[in-house]
Amino acid sequence: MKNNMYYYDTVTEALKDLENRGYTTDFEILRDKECLVCNKTSAQLSPRDFEIDETYRFEGDSDPGDEMIVFAISSRKNNLKGTVVNAYGMYADASSSKIVELLLNKAVKVKPIKRNEFLKPISREHHHGLLLSWKIRTGIKKEIAPERIKKYTDWFWEENLKDHFEIEEKYIFPILGNEHPMVKKALSQHRRLKRLFEYSDKVDKYLSLIEEELESHIRFEERTLFNEIQNVANKEQLQLLADNHTEHKFEDNLTDPFWG
């Protein structure tokens, strides 16, 4: 099972983003046959037919015991990727179903990262960066003309990623200090990515590098750097970030949705 590298506030947000990332099948748990069933094709997946790629838990607003868990499921055998949602906690009757017990046992092995409230807006922006990597990867796989993909990446850089890098460099990285090894690594990755986005020749080569290196950079920040930052940051430093970073609703450029 992969480590989660995405962070969501609600079940709806998780399901929408997972669908954008290719998890388009809606699965249900078929308890009497101890399998998952695809609502569209009625295909049935036994536990040996699928993998749990990611899991996300969401606590109820009024009752901490009332939780939901979202599973991102993939099946190479059936060429399917999708999601299944189930209760977790006191309302999950795992004892009545072996497949529910299997799902929940796998889920408890994942220790979700609690992102600091002040850093959540930055993490949400990381979602869109990861989605950019997926769009580039999909475009390359579909043999879309590199120039079409480059137009989108140019737009994303100018309208989203450039400002994101500036906020991190001005208000987040200084929390650890620019001489900290993790920050030095992140700054080096920023410089490298800036150059990749600005190249205008050998477009296909540099698109592949952006796709790979941007995803790697975001994983490093989410899994390692941000955890260290939120462990040492004080309230004044985090408030300074909040005062200088306004989260905007992401409006995608759908002029040429080559990834669809």
Side-chain angles (χ1 to χ4, degrees):
M1 180 162 46
K2 301 175 185 176
N3 291 325
N4 291 0
M5 58 180 177
Y6 297 80
Y7 306 90
Y8 306 107
D9 291 327
T10 66
V11 171
T12 300
E13 183 184 358
L15 291 174
K16 183 177 180 180
D17 190 60
L18 285 165
E19 183 178 8
N20 287 337
R21 292 195 281 121
Y23 292 89
T24 56
T25 301
D26 182 20
F27 291 110
E28 287 188 7
I29 297 171
L30 203 59
R31 296 183 182 227
D32 58 339
K33 294 188 177 181
E34 300 294 354
C35 67
L36 299 181
V37 60
C38 170
N39 285 336
K40 287 186 178 180
T41 66
S42 298
Q44 296 182 4
L45 307 182
S46 68
R48 64 177 177 272
D49 293 332
F50 66 85
E51 295 290 334
I52 300 174
D53 296 334
E54 301 170 27
T55 62
Y56 301 96
R57 298 182 200 169
F58 301 90
E59 187 174 291
D61 293 333
S62 58
D63 186 346
D66 182 13
E67 296 184 2
M68 299 300 291
I69 185 163
V70 175
F71 299 90
I73 302 291
S74 64
S75 172
R76 291 186 179 181
K77 177 181 177 181
N78 295 273
N79 194 28
L80 291 172
K81 292 177 69 177
T83 55
V84 60
V85 181
N86 193 62
Y88 184 89
M90 67 173 63
Y91 302 119
D93 186 11
S95 62
S96 66
S97 171
K98 290 182 179 179
I99 192 164
V100 173
E101 185 177 10
L102 170 69
L103 289 169
L104 297 182
N105 283 342
K106 287 189 176 183
V108 297
K109 295 177 183 178
V110 178
K111 296 182 179 179
I113 298 171
K114 283 286 188 180
R115 182 61 69 230
N116 184 282
E117 289 296 326
F118 290 96
L119 291 173
K120 279 185 177 180
I122 302 295
S123 285
R124 282 192 285 268
E125 291 177 3
H126 282 164
H127 294 334
H128 304 301
L130 290 167
L131 194 54
L132 172 63
S133 289
W134 173 81
K135 289 173 180 176
I136 295 172
R137 187 160 56 246
T138 300
I140 293 172
K141 185 177 180 181
K142 293 173 64 177
E143 298 184 345
I144 300 297
E147 292 74 19
R148 289 175 60 190
I149 304 175
K150 181 70 164 59
K151 285 183 180 179
Y152 183 84
T153 60
D154 286 348
W155 168 83
F156 191 92
W157 168 253
E158 290 295 334
E159 298 297 325
N160 297 278
L161 199 56
K162 182 187 289 187
D163 288 344
H164 176 88
F165 279 10
E166 290 178 359
I167 288 293
E168 287 185 331
E169 292 172 11
K170 192 170 183 179
Y171 299 107
I172 297 180
F173 295 171
I175 293 173
L176 287 180
N178 286 352
E179 294 304 312
H180 190 285
M182 292 183 190
V183 174
K184 291 175 74 172
K185 178 177 179 178
L187 287 169
S188 176
Q189 291 174 340
H190 276 198
R191 291 191 295 269
R192 164 77 171 172
L193 284 163
K194 288 175 185 176
R195 291 195 298 271
L196 291 177
F197 274 98
E198 290 169 357
Y199 280 123
S200 58
D201 59 344
K202 299 181 180 179
V203 175
D204 52 346
K205 172 184 176 181
Y206 291 117
L207 285 173
S208 294
L209 290 172
I210 289 172
E211 176 268 314
E212 180 179 344
E213 295 186 28
L214 179 61
E215 181 170 324
S216 177
H217 168 67
I218 293 173
R219 288 188 184 193
F220 165 67
E221 288 196 341
E222 286 292 341
R223 294 176 178 176
T224 305
L225 179 59
F226 275 27
N227 292 338
E228 182 67 17
I229 285 173
Q230 69 182 26
N231 284 338
V232 303
N234 58 45
K235 291 182 179 179
E236 290 75 18
Q237 290 169 323
L238 293 172
Q239 188 60 54
L240 182 64
L241 167 63
D243 292 342
N244 288 277
H245 176 253
T246 302
E247 184 177 12
H248 299 286
K249 181 180 179 181
F250 179 75
E251 297 288 346
D252 206 351
N253 181 357
L254 300 178
T255 304
D256 179 18
F258 58 84
W259 56 88

